[in-house]
Amino acid sequence: MTIAEKILSAKSGKASVTPGEIVEAYPDLVMSHTATWRSASVMKRVGATKLYDPERLAIVLDHVSPAKTEKYAADQQISRNFAREYGVRKFYDVDAGIAHLVLMEAGHVAPGDLIVGTDSHCTIYGSLGALGTGIGYTEVTSVWITGKLWMKVPESIRITLQGGFGAGVYSKDLMLHLIGKLGADGCTYNSVEFYGDTVAELSVSERMTIANLAMEMGVKCAFLPPDGKTAEYLKGRLPDWSRYHEVHADPDARYERRIEVDLAQLEPMVACPHEVQNTKPIGEVVGTHIDQAFLGSCANAKYEDLVVAAGILKGRRVDPGVRLIITPGSKQIMLEAMNSGVLQILLESGGMVTNPGCGACAGDGGMLADGEVCLSTANRNFLGRMGSNQSQIYLSSPATLAASAIRGAIADPREFLTH
């Protein structure tokens, strides 16, 4: 069996499963974020008064934090009251950061786990060998009450990475390349597994970016098989090390497709408006004017991402016509960047730092006016996602973003790495 098949068979109590089969699975964790109030309201409407297991719930208020309107304040109040009433101990308020990063930092994600939640980018948990996938808020309520949900076993795709990244090329560029090649629906409801010698060399942060962006190919889940780096990341985080259980595909596992990527052939990539699959090599978009640069989101607001951007911005200044907004992914990331001096570099270069959270990616600040252009490290660039329907969003790696903020237009980061 593949990794997804093994996890779903284990969580449904079956000896084995096959693609297309519907199983009744019991998730280890169900995450809800800003939409928690919706799930709580559904629970009230159906008359349920008891949770299947409060320890399986995690609530993180991240999308518009702190509240910007009375409506958001009321919604967050519902979520807080719900957590208190039902004894939800894995509750993180508006100061914590983005749900996915917070839960992994706190040791709530382990290899072999099945995790569902009210966000499509739950696929990021595959960076630690867990099966993560997004579900709707009514489904979340159902899992709260019954502890289980129906899931269809996905077909699996094996992607092998060959060679290594060149200077100025990162996991974000790999994923933009794949999304552009395969399309937004190229892996619909598939489980994607990444292999190759390069995978073992990738940091956990880079793996998070890959698993996160895999969603933009339509995947149900994505995996970077757990290894020593996974264990190293989780040591000191997992409250109970007996939860650490690596799941690997069998040597004779069946894959619907096999794809190979030569990393040495990749160059910095940019997703152009208004679809993530509209990707182009950096050379085709160099010189495109930008008004704003957003360094944030669950795809690229990790400490390592901030370090990459700071490495290019150190000793340089952001173009006076560009607003550089930095939104760290979590409080822990912000503290690390503060203690290491990375935040100081970003601020001295001309950037502004906001509180941890989803920020501009979720429409929380950093809005664009008619005709404005933003380069973002987020995972989506849909029309109107950051304000005006007359604005444009491009996506890139933190390195490309930093170089572009300096130039005032989309720039190749490699010109700053050769000096």
Side-chain angles (χ1 to χ4, degrees):
M1 292 189 288
T2 64
I3 299 177
E5 290 163 10
K6 283 190 173 184
I7 292 177
L8 288 176
S9 66
K11 302 308 174 183
S12 59
K14 298 172 71 73
S16 65
V17 296
T18 56
E21 182 179 350
I22 304 295
V23 299
E24 196 170 64
Y26 286 77
D28 298 276
L29 190 71
V30 54
M31 180 276 290
S32 58
H33 51 38
T34 301
T36 299
W37 71 272
R38 295 182 182 274
S39 299
S41 299
V42 171
M43 186 168 170
K44 187 175 181 180
R45 285 204 306 273
V46 300
T49 58
K50 185 179 179 181
L51 299 175
Y52 178 81
D53 181 2
E55 293 303 311
R56 296 194 186 197
L57 273 65
I59 297 172
V60 188
L61 304 184
D62 60 0
H63 270 50
V64 181
S65 304
K68 300 296 189 294
T69 66
E70 184 179 353
K71 176 65 167 64
Y72 278 115
D75 293 345
Q76 290 173 5
Q77 185 181 52
I78 292 172
S79 301
R80 292 187 190 100
N81 290 340
F82 174 85
R84 293 191 193 101
E85 180 180 354
Y86 287 95
V88 179
R89 296 194 295 174
K90 297 183 181 72
F91 175 80
Y92 298 88
D93 216 317
V94 296
D95 62 322
I98 304 174
H100 307 307
L101 304 182
V102 169
L103 296 185
M104 289 189 285
E105 288 172 349
H108 300 318
V109 179
D113 281 355
L114 171 59
I115 302 173
V116 296
T118 54
D119 191 279
S120 59
H121 292 104
C122 284
T123 55
I124 193 174
Y125 304 130
S127 60
L128 297 180
L131 195 165
T133 194
I135 60 176
Y137 67 88
T138 51
E139 288 179 293
V140 162
T141 311
S142 176
V143 182
W144 281 357
I145 299 168
T146 68
K148 59 187 178 182
L149 79 163
W150 287 343
M151 295 185 71
K152 184 172 78 170
V153 179
E155 292 275 7
S156 294
I157 296 173
R158 184 185 178 103
I159 297 180
T160 303
L161 307 181
Q162 300 176 332
F165 289 115
V169 182
Y170 302 86
S171 291
K172 181 65 163 285
D173 301 300
L174 162 66
M175 294 312 296
L176 292 181
H177 164 77
L178 281 172
I179 295 164
K181 177 182 177 181
L182 300 176
D185 58 355
C187 302
T188 298
Y189 213 93
N190 290 137
S191 170
V192 176
E193 298 175 6
F194 289 86
Y195 293 97
D197 293 340
T198 301
V199 172
E201 300 172 5
L202 293 174
S203 67
V204 171
S205 176
E206 291 175 296
R207 297 177 189 190
M208 289 178 182
T209 297
I210 289 174
N212 183 287
L213 267 295
M215 176 62 232
E216 304 311 320
M217 301 188 297
V219 306
K220 184 64 176 176
C221 52
F223 297 97
L224 290 97
D227 56 16
K229 287 188 177 179
T230 313
E232 183 181 353
Y233 176 86
L234 289 173
K235 279 178 182 174
R237 299 182 191 273
L238 283 182
D240 178 5
W241 192 249
S242 66
R243 286 190 57 224
Y244 189 89
H245 175 63
E246 293 188 3
V247 176
H248 296 276
D250 292 324
D252 59 347
R254 190 186 71 82
Y255 295 93
E256 182 187 40
R257 270 187 292 165
R258 294 173 183 262
I259 299 169
E260 294 186 357
V261 180
D262 184 356
L263 298 180
Q265 298 300 312
L266 298 183
E267 57 183 312
M269 298 290 293
V270 173
C272 302
H274 297 284
E275 296 179 329
V276 186
Q277 65 182 355
N278 184 19
T279 61
K280 295 180 181 179
I282 190 73
E284 296 184 24
V285 289
V286 162
T288 302
H289 168 81
I290 63 172
D291 301 284
Q292 179 170 291
F294 172 61
L295 178 56
S297 88
C298 50
N300 280 123
K302 304 176 299 299
Y303 175 69
E304 190 174 299
D305 300 318
L306 304 187
V307 170
V308 168
I312 291 176
L313 287 164
K314 186 175 183 178
R316 300 184 172 100
R317 291 287 301 176
V318 172
D319 184 276
V322 174
R323 308 183 297 274
L324 171 58
I325 302 173
I326 302 110
T327 303
S330 73
K331 179 191 288 186
Q332 292 305 313
I333 291 168
M334 191 170 196
L335 284 170
E336 190 172 0
M338 180 178 70
N339 293 331
S340 67
V342 166
L343 277 190
Q344 182 175 347
I345 294 171
L346 296 173
L347 285 166
E348 289 178 344
S349 72
M352 70 175 83
V353 178
T354 75
N355 63 288
C358 295
C361 180
D364 183 18
M367 292 294 93
L368 302 173
D370 287 356
E372 287 195 314
V373 177
C374 179
L375 182 63
S376 167
T377 61
N379 38 40
R380 288 181 175 160
N381 61 343
F382 303 152
L383 180 67
R385 186 172 177 88
M386 294 174 67
S388 169
N389 285 338
Q390 302 302 313
S391 63
Q392 295 184 318
I393 305 170
Y394 292 77
L395 304 178
S396 77
S397 73
T400 298
L401 180 118
S404 304
I406 294 167
R407 291 284 182 247
I410 295 178
D412 192 326
R414 292 174 293 191
E415 69 170 290
F416 293 95
L417 300 174
T418 56
H419 298 91

